[in-house]
Amino acid sequence: MYRFMSADEAMSLLRDGDCICVNSFVGIENPVALHEALYRRYQRTGSPKHLTIVSSAGFGVWDEHRAAEDYIRDGAVDRIICGHFGAMPSTRKLVLEDRFEAYNLPLGCISHAIRAQAGGLPGALSKVGLNIFVDPRLQGPGINDISRDTSLVKVVQVDREEFLYYKLPRLTIALVKGTAVDRKGNISFDDMYMSGDALSICQAVKANGGIVIVQVDRVVDMPSRPRNAIIPGCLVDAIVLEPPEKSDEALSALTGSFEIRYEDWAGWTEKIEKITAKKRVDSTAADLIGRRAARELHEDDIVNIGIGIPERICRYARENGLLDHITLTVESGGIGGFPASGKVFGAMIGAASVYDMSNQFDLYNNGGLDICFMGAYEVDRFGNVNAHRSDGDYAGIGGFANITAKTRTVVFCLTFNTKGLEVKEEDGRVTIVKNGSVPKFVDEVRSISFSARNAVANGQRVLYVTERCVMQLTPVGLKLIEVYPGVDRQKDIKDMLSFEIMG
């Protein structure tokens, strides 16, 4: 039977060596009050220590002194297993200093491994991850020099077919943020942007004899409609009532609590970007890429659009009238509507449906997308892509590997080079005023996020759209298929490459 507790009382239930699973998505829906109470206890007593934290999509809030950042920095955590580290600025630095073990697995594979554990299975099989960095025959999931756990990802054969087997440690603590609890302890997510892995996490933890702790905004007298109670009260041990932080009214557009017409998406997007995103930098290069990439969209496509340059595609899809005739999706579980970005990436404006994250990755893993648009740090002469680790930094693979694994058409959106690139467009003609000092097309990527070999074997159509040209993946490497007006094929493209290219 659940009990109401303060955040400090709830954190007294944790023990040294616990494996905590956090339900959150990059920077949204994190149970911040629980993290901060854990830090207070650790400061006071030095316990709990030797913790492992598992999260499909990350558990930061873009602030190095909030949520879990402080107790991680002070030494309470021995190991982190996570799909994305982008919203955890302090933790990202400490990982590269070998302060604790850190493992980066594809977001969807963690989600499915949690669901497997909830169902009494030790792990989950997946084709996603074969022949990219997480494959133990390449680099494996460890981010730093002390991360050598070989139990998390293994290559296995089933019916003479090759898979990766993802196995997580036994989850013993669930930390979840919900909207409300009713008189029977049922947890609803009515004002949340997503429910993520909440149900699977709680089922797995209870099956392991662990403790489920849920932070909610309020208590309601009457039960929510049964379909809206994501976590049944029988799975909950402790409920922490924590009034929500005041937020801008524009963010209410992301909860699905009122209908947003297609005609209003642009207005809500602008409002939300003002309060959550960094100031958008005008970039001719990004606009050229977005406009050209948007031409790959077709009516009735089911689509995923990545962050960064790919976001420009939405602008041009709106201009050409296609935005209302495609279905956009986001990894956290949203279908339909318009994905938000910045600090609320993972939420959607006007979503038609929001379901469990593991179900979204069922769609992605099995080729349910018609097309996706992804960014990239590097592309090599074979067509392999590195999108998760740059020089001296990393964000993590997130859902990238799952999204690109079987999607019929994959469009990578990136500049030809960076650090000083200047481009002009006049009367439909492109001029490369100055090339950047860092090439994006290289002989060999430092880490593989997307395998060209897999894509060729799967029969996927893969394009690399830049501000000056478009390349396509072939069985023998990259082929130049389009050069923009005003661009010199030899001087601006071929002479800038360290390898030969067809076309």
Side-chain angles (χ1 to χ4, degrees):
M1 180 65 181
Y2 73 90
R3 289 189 296 148
F4 281 97
M5 298 183 181
S6 68
D8 292 308
E9 289 170 332
M11 290 303 98
S12 72
L13 302 175
L14 274 63
R15 296 291 180 261
D16 292 353
D18 268 330
C19 180
I20 300 170
C21 193
V22 182
N23 187 58
S24 55
F25 188 91
V26 189
I28 62 173
E29 311 303 25
N30 202 351
V32 174
L34 302 183
H35 288 299
E36 295 184 348
L38 194 162
Y39 181 49
R40 288 194 296 271
R41 179 186 166 193
Y42 184 74
Q43 280 184 303
R44 188 175 66 255
T45 68
S47 182
K49 56 182 180 295
H50 303 308
L51 298 173
T52 293
I53 303 184
V54 174
S55 174
S56 295
F59 51 100
V61 291
W62 307 99
D63 185 336
E64 64 180 357
H65 294 294
R66 294 209 64 199
E69 298 273 49
D70 284 324
Y71 67 78
I72 291 172
R73 183 167 48 242
D74 281 9
V77 176
D78 286 356
R79 178 170 56 164
I80 297 177
I81 302 165
C82 198
H84 201 273
F85 292 76
M88 303 186 289
S90 172
T91 298
R92 285 167 65 176
K93 296 174 186 175
L94 297 176
V95 167
L96 297 180
E97 295 172 7
D98 292 350
R99 290 277 294 275
F100 45 80
E101 293 181 51
Y103 300 90
N104 184 212
L105 279 61
L107 193 164
C109 298
I110 299 177
S111 179
H112 285 167
I114 292 170
R115 185 175 65 182
Q117 201 171 122
L121 301 173
L125 292 175
S126 182
K127 289 282 190 180
V128 175
L130 288 168
N131 302 314
I132 68 171
F133 78 98
V134 75
D135 190 323
R137 295 167 299 189
L138 298 182
Q139 293 170 306
I143 297 173
N144 59 24
D145 291 337
I146 64 171
S147 302
R148 299 172 182 171
D149 188 342
T150 59
S151 69
L152 299 175
V153 187
K154 294 180 180 179
V155 181
V156 298
Q157 294 267 338
V158 178
D159 292 337
R160 299 181 182 178
E161 197 169 355
E162 194 171 73
F163 296 86
L164 290 185
Y165 179 62
Y166 293 90
K167 182 179 179 181
L168 298 173
R170 289 177 70 254
L171 310 176
T172 59
I173 298 290
L175 299 185
V176 178
K177 172 72 175 65
T179 295
V181 57
D182 67 25
R183 57 186 170 82
K184 296 182 180 179
N186 303 309
I187 308 295
S188 68
F189 286 67
D190 295 349
D191 294 341
M192 310 286 287
Y193 305 148
M194 58 111 204
S195 59
D197 291 319
L199 179 58
S200 291
I201 290 170
C202 295
Q203 289 174 326
V205 167
K206 293 304 288 184
N208 293 335
I211 297 171
V212 172
I213 304 170
V214 183
Q215 175 186 328
V216 297
D217 297 338
R218 61 182 180 269
V219 180
V220 293
D221 292 330
M222 297 296 293
S224 174
R225 296 177 68 178
R227 185 65 180 168
N228 296 339
I230 303 295
I231 305 173
C234 61
L235 297 180
V236 181
D237 295 292
I239 295 173
V240 174
L241 180 60
E242 186 75 22
E245 297 178 6
K246 186 177 180 181
S247 64
D248 191 283
E249 63 179 358
L251 297 181
S252 62
L254 302 173
T255 66
S257 56
F258 57 90
E259 183 179 359
I260 298 176
R261 298 177 304 169
Y262 166 74
E263 292 79 9
D264 298 330
W265 284 2
W268 282 107
T269 300
E270 185 176 336
K271 291 178 186 178
I272 292 165
E273 283 185 348
K274 283 181 180 178
I275 59 173
T276 68
K278 295 178 180 178
K279 184 178 179 182
R280 188 179 295 279
V281 177
D282 289 332
S283 169
T284 301
D287 286 337
L288 285 164
I289 294 166
R291 186 191 314 143
R292 172 59 186 86
R295 285 166 44 195
E296 298 300 321
L297 286 167
H298 298 93
E299 192 168 329
D300 295 328
D301 276 349
I302 303 175
V303 186
N304 181 282
I305 295 177
I307 58 175
I309 291 177
E311 292 177 83
R312 301 292 177 104
I313 290 152
C314 292
R315 177 192 303 177
Y316 294 102
R318 182 181 287 118
E319 287 182 6
N320 64 26
L322 263 179
L323 193 60
D324 194 29
H325 299 283
I326 59 177
T327 300
L328 296 172
T329 71
V330 70
E331 294 94 304
S332 58
I335 295 277
F338 188 90
S341 61
K343 292 182 179 180
V344 288
F345 172 65
M348 294 194 89
I349 299 167
S353 172
V354 180
Y355 49 45
D356 285 356
M357 190 153 62
S358 59
N359 296 129
Q360 189 75 299
F361 283 96
D362 290 335
L363 176 77
Y364 293 164
N365 288 3
N366 205 30
L369 292 173
D370 295 297
I371 189 168
C372 65
F373 300 87
M374 299 282 112
Y377 289 134
E378 301 173 308
V379 178
D380 68 20
R381 64 189 186 278
F382 306 109
N384 297 315
V385 174
N386 167 27
H388 72 277
R389 188 155 195 164
S390 60
D391 186 19
D393 193 16
Y394 72 99
I397 190 68
F400 179 98
N402 303 88
I403 293 165
T404 60
K406 287 191 71 176
T407 297
R408 297 182 185 98
T409 298
V410 179
V411 182
F412 293 109
C413 303
L414 70 159
T415 55
F416 201 80
N417 46 52
T418 188
K419 299 291 185 187
L421 174 66
E422 293 181 22
V423 180
K424 285 185 179 179
E425 182 187 22
E426 223 174 314
D427 298 326
R429 295 182 64 80
V430 176
T431 301
I432 309 301
V433 178
K434 180 183 176 184
N435 278 295
S437 60
V438 178
K440 290 263 194 148
F441 290 84
V442 297
D443 285 338
E444 186 176 349
V445 294
R446 60 173 54 89
S447 190
I448 298 177
S449 311
F450 171 83
S451 166
R453 185 174 79 180
N454 288 357
V456 169
N458 291 335
Q460 294 169 276
R461 179 170 176 260
V462 182
L463 299 179
Y464 309 82
V465 177
T466 77
E467 79 289 347
R468 64 188 73 184
C469 65
V470 180
M471 289 174 257
Q472 184 168 355
L473 180 65
T474 77
V476 292
L478 298 178
K479 181 179 181 179
L480 183 61
I481 63 169
E482 185 177 334
V483 178
Y484 302 166
V487 174
D488 187 296
R489 177 184 298 262
Q490 189 65 42
K491 178 175 71 74
D492 294 328
I493 301 172
K494 292 196 170 185
D495 288 351
M496 300 299 297
L497 294 171
S498 59
F499 55 88
E500 296 293 323
I501 186 172
M502 297 176 288

